[in-house]
Amino acid sequence: MGQRHSIRWLRQVLADALTLNQDFYEHSHQYPAAKQYARSIVVLAGLSHGLGSGLILLLYKPSLLELVAGVLINGLSVVAGYYLWTYGLWKINAYLAPPVPPYRELLVPVGFAYTPQMLNLLTVIPLLGRPITLALAGWTLLGAIAAVRAGLNIGLVKATLLAGVGFTLVQVGIGLVQEGVQNWVAPNLLQ
């Protein structure tokens, strides 16, 4: 009975996060197990990114060690980006408009904003990879704006600026990590 309720609740959480339900983002840190679900979503997003990057790395015929390292590095870059981005958002807002909610409260809504990134593995589909990447990035950015707005209790314009700048920096960082791994695995093929 408890497990069935938990699965139903998880489905509702994912639906609310994917549909950008502002009320959900505002109260997400109050739900039971919200921290666990938000962290799990970020880890799954990292795993999806890592596996997708691993499939791309297979084109370069890497050794098993290079493949495993590439998947881990790319996956961990998403998780590290989440923590750095959330901390940056919190710190900037603390500087501009104190007082702010505790950092841990912001981790939950921003974690839920990563829900579309769980589909990142789809970006390896030939000819559709780039449009899917852009759609997921846009969808995640909209979720991040909702999360930052709710988590920091700020207006839409300020949330859009904070989330947009931070999200762009995180995406560039993750892209540079992915490119670095590809250059490491296949230095002669990319020149």
Side-chain angles (χ1 to χ4, degrees), residues 106-141:
L106 187 58
L107 285 171
V108 173
V110 173
F112 287 130
Y114 271 68
T115 304
Q117 293 298 314
M118 293 183 347
L119 304 172
N120 213 325
L121 187 59
L122 298 175
T123 61
V124 299
I125 298 173
L127 302 176
L128 296 177
R130 196 66 177 141
I132 291 172
T133 299
L134 294 173
L136 290 177
W139 196 358
T140 302
L141 178 58

Side-chain angles (χ1 to χ4, degrees), residues 89 92-94 96-98 148 152 154-164:
L89 290 169
I92 290 169
N93 198 59
L96 294 176
V148 169
L152 294 175
I154 58 177
L156 180 60
V157 173
K158 188 174 179 183
T160 302
L161 289 172
L162 279 173

Side-chain angles (χ1 to χ4, degrees), residues 37-111:
Y37 285 139
R39 256 187 262 128
S40 298
I41 286 169
V42 173
V43 168
L44 288 173
L47 181 64
S48 181
H49 177 74
L51 291 175
S53 299
L55 289 174
I56 292 169
L57 287 177
L58 285 175
L59 297 173
Y60 303 118
K61 298 178 180 155
S63 69
L64 182 60
L65 179 63
E66 289 173 330
L67 180 63
V68 170
V71 168
L72 285 175
I73 291 168
N74 281 307
L76 289 174
S77 72
V78 171
V79 176
Y82 158 70
Y83 283 106
L84 291 172
W85 179 33
T86 306
Y87 183 76
L89 290 169
W90 178 78
K91 198 67 171 169
I92 290 169
N93 198 59
Y95 177 75
L96 294 176
V100 294
Y103 169 67
R104 292 182 186 266
E105 282 187 21
L106 187 58
L107 285 171
V108 173
V110 173

